[in-house]
Amino acid sequence: MKDDFFQVPITEFSTSEGVVKLPILYYDVSQLMAFFWVEPGQDRSVVGDTAFEPVTFTNGKCVAGVVMYAYYHTTVGVYNEVGVAIAVRKKGQWMPFPETQLLLPASSRSLAFYVIDLPVTTQQARAAGREIWGYPKFVTDIPLDFEGEHFKGAVMDPVRKKAF
């Protein structure tokens, strides 16, 4: 790739599935993001015993997100991925209007998204995510269709081979 954006220093990290070049470069991607209001309390157990707690917005609800990616050309191969996350803050951190956090640059935010599940379609993507960053990745089928004017997608249960 001759684009100056992709001309960065590369390091290598060994995983159980082989060497991964870092940073991972994503040259061609399709993405769909969807966010949902969820009732407080339904989301507390998913962050478990961590330093984080779900953010309650001014409407009294929390936000959960689902993001679907089709990676057509990357330095770790072709694969699909679906992220499920919830908006969080550090426990006890005061945040008067969390909606304004979404307008700030990432480096200035107190709000973040805690990743709950991160299924992928290849062993190499799973190994990179789990072994380098500790993400809860697992391998399963994720049929995604970004063609035309409509989106179609699913995450298959890796055991029962049916859509969740």
Side-chain angles (χ1 to χ4, degrees):
M1 183 69 58
K2 301 225 187 248
D3 189 320
D4 287 343
F5 179 82
F6 294 105
Q7 306 310 309
V8 296
I10 301 293
T11 60
E12 293 184 347
F13 188 96
S14 291
T15 73
S16 60
E17 293 295 322
V19 172
V20 174
K21 293 181 179 182
L22 299 175
I24 297 172
L25 302 177
Y26 296 86
Y27 303 110
D28 187 12
V29 177
S30 289
Q31 172 191 32
L32 175 77
M33 300 174 88
F35 294 91
F36 305 92
W37 294 114
V38 295
E39 294 297 329
Q42 292 179 325
D43 53 2
R44 299 213 187 279
S45 63
V46 298
V47 296
D49 188 23
T50 66
F52 304 103
E53 63 187 0
V55 172
T56 302
F57 287 77
T58 54
N59 66 357
K61 297 191 177 190
C62 301
V63 170
V66 177
V67 184
M68 297 184 164
Y69 301 95
Y71 299 121
Y72 307 115
H73 182 197
T74 81
T75 54
V76 290
V78 175
Y79 69 102
N80 292 344
E81 179 173 51
V82 174
V84 179
I86 188 150
V88 296
R89 64 178 173 207
K90 287 183 181 175
K91 281 185 181 170
Q93 184 177 40
W94 185 65
M95 193 179 293
F97 297 102
E99 291 83 353
T100 61
Q101 290 286 309
L102 299 172
L103 303 174
L104 298 174
S107 60
S108 301
R109 280 188 220 139
S110 299
L111 182 143
F113 281 87
Y114 182 87
V115 178
I116 299 164
D117 275 319
L118 204 53
V120 294
T121 56
T122 68
Q123 290 294 340
Q124 188 176 22
R126 183 208 52 81
R130 289 185 81 82
E131 297 170 27
I132 299 171
W133 297 288
Y135 285 126
K137 290 194 175 193
F138 62 92
V139 176
T140 191
D141 291 328
I142 305 172
L144 300 178
D145 182 358
F146 285 95
E147 298 299 321
E149 295 181 18
H150 301 282
F151 166 79
K152 218 167 44 168
V155 176
M156 306 306 283
D157 180 311
V159 175
R160 293 182 290 154
K161 305 295 183 199
K162 293 183 179 182
F164 278 102

